[in-house]
Amino acid sequence: MSAVYRIFGSEMSPYSVKVRSYFRYKGVPHRWIPRTPAVEEEYKRFAKLPIVPTVATPADEGLQDSTPIMERVEAEHPEPSVHPADPALRFLSELFEEFGDEWGNKLMFHHRWWDEVDIAASAQTLARLSAPKAGEAEIAQRTAMIRERMTGRGHFVGSSAATADLIRAYLNELLDLLEPHFESRKCLFGGRPSFGDFGLSAQLYEASVDPTCGSILKSRGPNTLAWCHRMLEPRDDGPFESWESLAPTLKPVLAYIGRYFLPWTAANAKALAEGAAEFSVDLAGKAYVQPPQKYHAKSLAVIRAKRAAVGDPGLAAILAETGCEPFLAGA
């Protein structure tokens, strides 16, 4: 039995990059295995669902879903910890991780598969990654197949002609808020990566490798882009900060989460519970419409349970001030 974890992933998968960055920071022995036909038989031994990342443990157990993978490994390899000791900051870090996975993915996925320049680049990159030694005819065939499959999945993240301008505005606003925060610190909560850093940075890193978002990040978010690159090989460059030192630039980002992400995910869960085929939610005065998705509701229930487990009055005040608390306290 090998003592090394095996990560089956893709360079174009934010969740794969997230897990790989986490393993690198933790110093846990692992091997990165790009998912290609050459390893498909081994991959299928561990994958219950055809998704990446899929992690094979040293005990030959298969793990899937990036957040549970990290939580499992963190429990077994607690140092260096990715959780601030302060309970309020730990929860905020976990909230950022959820925000990155669910809202950050919306921003990345929409832009990757919306404009023709991004569709063409992404489909061909994925085709070549899936078959690195294939000839041009096979690459062209794979590119066409990937293009058709992925451009038909926009409804999963609410990408449509009706929401395209809104999603672009959401991305721009988020970058404008993150820029001053990363002007003088390495990571979201100080000098070392937290749980939340892995979730959000991976989505924005993936956005940065695409033509449209790459140009946006280079021009509008250079500090944020530098953070994304640091998180590919994260390291401990100092302690976690206190809320008092973080608040001037982190509170506006939390207010963004309370303004957009949490109302959206709460509305999604409500629509799903009611059996609605579509839902509309008012986000900062503009209607955002999409079909409900099951996974978002599942992860919202998890983050609400984590919130309920923290009785810190300081956390309650932070969440109330940023508009987050009503959505996290919901049933």
Side-chain angles (χ1 to χ4, degrees), residues 4-243:
V4 176
Y5 288 79
R6 287 155 287 167
I7 306 171
F8 296 88
S10 168
E11 294 289 350
M12 292 285 277
S13 159
Y15 303 105
S16 296
V17 170
K18 169 190 174 185
V19 166
R20 183 178 63 186
S21 294
Y22 173 80
F23 270 80
R24 287 174 173 174
Y25 177 66
K26 297 294 290 188
V28 174
H30 65 279
R31 184 158 62 95
W32 171 258
I33 305 174
R35 187 188 172 189
T36 66
V39 300
E40 192 66 8
E41 185 175 342
E42 183 185 9
Y43 162 80
K44 286 181 177 178
R45 286 179 53 211
F46 304 103
K48 292 181 180 179
L49 297 172
I51 59 173
V52 290
T54 292
V55 171
T57 72
D60 275 351
E61 178 185 359
L63 305 177
Q64 293 187 294
D65 193 337
S66 63
T67 303
I69 289 170
M70 288 168 53
E71 290 176 333
R72 164 75 174 271
V73 175
E74 188 72 11
E76 297 176 355
H77 302 271
E79 296 298 333
S81 178
V82 296
H83 297 303
D86 180 273
L89 293 183
R90 173 171 177 154
F91 174 77
L92 294 180
S93 168
E94 291 173 323
L95 177 59
F96 266 97
E97 195 264 351
E98 168 75 358
F99 168 66
D101 276 4
E102 310 306 326
W103 184 264
N105 184 253
K106 176 192 296 293
L107 305 182
M108 184 281 295
F109 192 96
H110 165 78
H111 285 92
R112 176 168 284 179
W113 300 107
W114 186 251
D115 288 334
E116 175 59 30
V117 63
D118 299 291
I119 294 170
S122 299
Q124 183 164 154
T125 298
L126 282 165
R128 293 188 182 279
L129 285 171
S130 69
K133 297 182 180 180
E136 292 305 310
E138 183 180 347
I139 291 299
Q141 184 179 28
R142 284 176 175 266
T143 298
M145 178 187 67
I146 291 168
R147 179 190 181 104
E148 181 178 2
R149 182 175 74 243
M150 300 306 291
T151 55
R153 292 183 174 181
H155 63 283
F156 286 117
V157 298
S159 171
S160 68
T163 60
D165 288 345
L166 293 175
I167 295 174
R168 175 65 58 80
Y170 300 152
L171 174 65
N172 290 344
E173 185 175 346
L174 177 60
L175 293 177
D176 289 348
L177 293 172
L178 288 172
E179 271 303 281
H181 188 67
F182 289 122
E183 187 173 348
S184 59
R185 60 178 52 83
K186 299 289 188 180
C187 298
L188 280 171
F189 290 87
R192 56 191 293 184
S194 69
F195 210 63
D197 286 274
F198 293 100
L200 183 55
S201 68
Q203 300 292 342
L204 294 180
Y205 168 74
E206 285 296 333
S208 78
V209 305
D210 298 334
T212 297
C213 278
S215 64
I216 292 172
L217 272 152
K218 288 182 180 71
S219 60
R220 195 164 192 144
N223 294 330
T224 304
L225 181 59
W227 165 64
C228 293
H229 289 161
R230 285 195 297 273
M231 285 300 299
L232 295 176
E233 298 276 0
R235 65 187 193 189
D236 184 344
D237 282 320
F240 291 122
E241 296 177 36
S242 67
W243 173 247

Side-chain angles (χ1 to χ4, degrees), residues 293-306:
Q293 299 297 323
K294 290 182 180 179
Y295 188 84
H296 301 316
K298 177 182 175 182
S299 63
L300 174 61
V302 172
I303 199 69
R304 281 175 168 172
K306 288 180 178 179

